[in-house]
Amino acid sequence: TAWMLVSTVLVTLMVIPGLALFYGGMVRSKNMLSVLMQTFVIFSLMAVLWAVYGYSLAFTGGGAFFGGLSKAFLLGITPESIAATFSKGVYIPEYTFVAFQLTFAAITPALIIGAFAERMKFSAVLVFMVLWFTFAYLPMAHMVWYWDGPDAITDAAALETVLGNAGWLWAKGALDFAGGTVVHINAGIAGLVACIMLGKRIGYGKEALTPHSLTMTMIGASLLWVGWYGFNAGSNLEANGYAALALINTTIATGAATLTWMAAEWLGKGKPSMLGAASGAVAGLVAITPACGFVGPIGAIVIGLL
């Protein structure tokens, strides 16, 4: 429980201020405040929506694609309520699980804004985020992560029941330790489609759109890296050897990705850059996330290099 509370704080650190500074440093100075505001308010908005209906739709039974509304407004959850982990007989307070998953639900929509930074009205961003959270994040979280827990599996017949109640992709055997599908691919596709729909930035290719503060971007990337230990090792839900495996994999893969990106840039452009190193680090963090509890450290190096 103590580890999960710490992990929840670490993932919050990834968004505010980590992601805000990472993205903010990459835009022009006149748009820095816009990016900070979007990140800050999206985190706040998603926190409220998670309590109102998000947690219930993602993490209760009811269907293969959506849960139900039995825990809307966190109804029926008390300090005594418990949530399953990955080991039989091991539980954490349900509020701890709700709070931890809240941070994932808050960072995922915020990740998208980097794709359309400087190009969308604030009001439109907020409307889009509410719709995307409801119809893209929640079903994906339910499909990949929802199941009844290990104690529900007692024999072959019970396993069939658990598979029948579980999210669609979980039942098919999808392995996503900490959010490669739910968070990164999900937000990545949304960002790609959003920036195509909006079109190029005004002045793109004609005037310099250089990052105004790579110092800020480096600070943001570093906070993301530190917070990511909560993201990856926290997703184990227990403080044990598998959490340690996820933690060391997160460090090694990210180091390997930083070096690869830097080397590619050095060879291709004649000199490395801070933006390249930070980009490599974040790419490595993303790449190892779904596999961090399933591969060994050498596998993590390979994933980071790739």
Side-chain angles (χ1 to χ4, degrees):
T1 300
W3 167 237
M4 291 311 299
L5 294 172
V6 170
S7 293
T8 302
V9 174
L10 284 170
V11 182
T12 303
L13 183 78
M14 290 173 69
V15 200
I16 45 174
L19 187 71
L21 292 174
F22 178 67
Y23 281 164
M26 284 194 271
V27 298
R28 288 165 288 180
S29 56
K30 67 177 182 177
N31 293 313
M32 173 76 166
L33 199 58
S34 162
V35 171
L36 296 182
M37 178 74 169
Q38 287 177 37
T39 312
F40 201 83
V41 174
I42 286 168
F43 185 88
S44 307
L45 177 63
M46 295 309 147
V48 174
L49 295 183
W50 186 247
V52 174
Y53 64 88
Y55 176 71
S56 188
L57 287 177
F59 287 104
T60 62
F65 303 102
F66 271 108
L69 289 171
S70 59
K71 291 184 179 177
F73 298 96
L74 305 184
L75 193 69
I77 302 176
T78 69
E80 286 72 45
S81 304
I82 54 173
T85 61
F86 297 108
S87 303
K88 285 182 180 287
V90 179
Y91 292 89
I92 56 174
E94 189 169 7
Y95 273 137
T96 305
F97 183 71
V98 173
F100 180 66
Q101 286 295 341
L102 179 157
T103 60
F104 281 68
I107 195 172
T108 311
L111 290 174
I112 302 168
I113 67 174
F116 55 70
E118 308 182 302
R119 281 178 289 171
M120 196 189 283
K121 281 172 62 178
F122 184 61
S123 56
V125 170
L126 297 184
V127 171
F128 172 75
M129 291 305 169
V130 172
L131 292 169
W132 190 85
F133 168 78
T134 306
F135 298 108
Y137 183 79
L138 296 179
M140 191 61 75
H142 182 79
M143 282 191 281
V144 176
W145 282 337
Y146 181 75
W147 63 305
D148 293 334
D151 284 348
I153 303 171
T154 51
D155 54 30
L159 177 60
E160 286 302 313
T161 304
V162 168
L163 288 171
N165 290 339
W168 188 62
L169 290 170
W170 191 92
K172 290 189 178 303
L175 295 176
D176 185 0
F177 195 83
T181 307
V182 179
V183 178
H184 301 128
I185 297 173
N186 208 7
I189 294 293
L192 178 64
V193 174
C195 72
I196 292 169
M197 294 292 286
L198 284 171
K200 291 180 180 177
R201 292 160 202 245
I202 295 168
Y204 182 75
K206 297 189 184 77
E207 57 186 87
L209 300 175
T210 50
H212 89 280
S213 177
L214 286 177
T215 305
M216 292 289 189
T217 295
M218 182 272 169
I219 295 167
S222 304
L223 287 165
L224 282 166
W225 190 336
V226 172
W228 222 289
Y229 294 115
F231 198 89
N232 283 359
S235 290
N236 190 58
L237 303 180
E238 304 167 63
N240 58 23
Y242 286 99
L245 175 68
L247 189 141
I248 194 167
N249 282 344
T250 302
T251 307
I252 296 172
T254 307
T258 303
L259 295 175
T260 317
W261 198 299
M262 184 183 74
E265 204 172 39
W266 214 333
L267 290 168
K269 294 182 178 176
K271 64 177 183 180
S273 74
M274 183 66 247
L275 183 60
S279 301
V282 173
L285 288 162
V286 167
I288 194 59
T289 290
C292 62
F294 303 126
V295 300
I298 304 306
I301 292 176
V302 173
I303 287 171
L305 292 173
L306 289 170

